[in-house]
Amino acid sequence: MISALVQPFWLAFFRGEADPPPVRSPRLRRRTPGVLRLLLPFDHVDVVQGADLVVAATLFVTTLTELSPTTRQPAYMVYLAALGFSLPVALRERRPLVAWRLAVVLMPVSLHVVEQVTDMQPPYLGAAIVMYLLVLYTVAARSDRRVTIAVWVVSVLTVWIVDRNTMTLSTVTMTVILLFGYNVRVRRSATESRDAAIGERFVMAERARIARELHDVVAHHLSVIAIQAEAVPMEARGDASLLEAGLAQIRGLSLEAIKELRQVLGVLRDQEGRADTTPPPALDRLDELVGNARSAGLTVLVKRSGELEEVPTAMAVSAYRIVQESLSNAMRHAPGSAVAVEVIWAGDLRVRVANGPGRRPGEAPGAGHGLVGMRERATLLGGSLEAGPMEGGGFEVKALLPLERTS
């Protein structure tokens, strides 16, 4: 019982870790301006973290302005109070619990300085209120429920010790902020769980689609083996009893493999029980795919290298789908853009699709299921896929499909 009561406080003060920062919208991550890029060691600026730094600097300067005119406290105490009201804000986005711990440690010193310099009762500067409420919200939005409860208890006890007259208003305010942050965390967790479930279903659907295509490929090859095994004995000259027996065995095994493969993959039929008998598209239909993209307004430049007709069918199908999805993404998110498509066959198959910025606004980024499907295709063939924004705008997809797993 004692352990259960102490653990939340132990986590809040010492061992607890907050959730990582949420994934930001591209609108909240801006490229560093050219002049500042010479001074700052990073290429992009997080708008939220930048705003926190501005607020922290403002609180620091405001606190110095309100406390420095007197000589009741040494200068270092005034600066320490200013840090106590500003530094937690600067840290709250990256390390919420560290920011709260720092605020709790420095709060007694800061409040003492405020009380001695200003004779305020209670000794609450506006900077202290803004700082603590921002830190409380971030802790509740990014920490475990037990930690949030422990932080609430410590905060209420602190207010009760500092000034009982304002305890009711302070407690209500902090409770509302903590509940709001906790609600944000719950909603974010629910959204992430939903997206994960949707992504998992999409992966399974994409695997089923891939398996259907590979089923047709494998079934075709095995059918050819069976036919050849039947034809070889008829074409043999002289006594070929041993060869005939061996080939007959190969034929039987081939037919049995086809039968078993169809039984295993029969579950991949659609809900009405129909099977898709249309041959899957491959690199021989790349020109058709590019033509459709050009008719939709894209400027597409295609570069081919190697004997693409020698690419194994399974690999060619996956490469076609990767190019297809990449062009579709360019149409949706960067309409009117210039797109470079490279398909290079040199033992391994390398595919690259890169589009520049669109000529007009496109759709907002979605859940990324298209990238999941492309990456799944590459992975199932033993390859890899990289995708992400390019310097100067645009998007790039690079896939490597090795021959070893498809030969």
Side-chain angles (χ1 to χ4, degrees), residues 372-386:
V372 172
M374 289 191 288
R375 188 168 286 111
E376 191 67 25
R377 286 183 176 277
T379 301
L380 288 178
L381 293 176
S384 61
L385 185 137
E386 299 177 0

Side-chain angles (χ1 to χ4, degrees), residues 6-225:
V6 171
Q7 186 182 30
F9 298 95
W10 178 259
L11 292 174
F13 280 104
F14 302 105
R15 303 295 296 178
E17 293 289 341
D19 298 336
V23 178
R24 304 228 183 270
S25 166
R27 297 179 180 178
L28 297 178
R29 183 175 171 81
R30 298 293 184 179
R31 186 173 176 80
T32 306
V35 178
L36 293 179
R37 205 177 308 158
L38 300 175
L39 304 175
L40 300 177
F42 36 80
D43 296 330
H44 292 81
V45 175
D46 189 302
V47 176
V48 175
Q49 293 181 5
D52 280 348
L53 292 178
V54 172
V55 172
T58 303
L59 295 179
F60 183 82
V61 173
T62 301
T63 304
L64 289 182
T65 302
E66 294 187 27
L67 300 181
S68 60
T70 72
T71 58
R72 296 185 183 180
Q73 291 290 322
Y76 75 88
M77 292 292 289
V78 175
Y79 279 98
L80 191 60
L83 281 176
F85 294 153
S86 58
L87 189 56
V89 175
L91 294 175
R92 75 180 184 101
E93 185 64 21
R94 289 188 176 275
R95 302 295 297 275
L97 284 176
V98 172
W100 178 77
R101 293 162 188 164
L102 186 63
V104 171
V105 170
L106 294 180
M107 187 69 73
V109 177
S110 301
L111 294 181
H112 171 74
V113 173
V114 172
E115 186 176 19
Q116 293 298 315
V117 172
T118 65
D119 296 325
M120 293 179 61
Q121 293 297 331
Y124 298 144
L125 285 182
I129 297 173
V130 171
M131 175 275 295
Y132 201 70
L133 292 182
L134 286 175
V135 171
L136 283 183
Y137 164 78
T138 309
V139 168
R142 301 259 299 277
S143 300
D144 184 80
R145 179 177 59 183
R146 297 170 299 170
V147 173
T148 300
I149 293 175
V151 168
W152 178 83
V153 172
V154 172
S155 301
V156 171
L157 289 177
T158 302
V159 171
W160 181 76
I161 294 172
V162 173
D163 185 73
R164 299 183 184 181
N165 295 328
T166 59
M167 179 178 177
T168 301
L169 177 61
S170 300
T171 301
V172 171
T173 303
M174 292 187 298
T175 302
V176 170
I177 293 296
L178 287 171
L179 287 176
F180 179 66
Y182 177 73
N183 182 64
V184 169
R185 184 173 191 267
V186 170
R187 292 173 63 88
R188 184 182 297 152
S189 299
T191 301
E192 291 175 353
S193 298
R194 182 198 63 193
D195 291 344
I198 294 175
E200 184 176 353
R201 289 199 297 270
F202 183 85
V203 168
M204 296 304 298
E206 189 67 17
R207 285 190 174 186
R209 181 183 179 187
I210 296 170
R212 281 196 299 269
E213 294 173 350
L214 295 181
H215 167 265
D216 294 336
V217 172
V218 175
H220 169 73
H221 290 321
L222 291 179
S223 297
V224 172
I225 292 173

Side-chain angles (χ1 to χ4, degrees), residues 319-364:
Y320 176 91
R321 293 300 189 191
I322 290 173
V323 174
Q324 182 183 46
E325 181 63 30
S326 300
L327 291 176
S328 298
N329 288 339
M331 294 178 198
R332 289 194 299 269
H333 306 306
S337 61
V339 184
V341 177
E342 298 179 6
V343 182
I344 301 174
W345 169 245
D348 294 335
L349 184 63
R350 297 179 183 272
V351 179
R352 177 179 180 269
V353 182
N355 64 270
R359 296 180 181 177
R360 58 185 183 275
E363 299 178 11

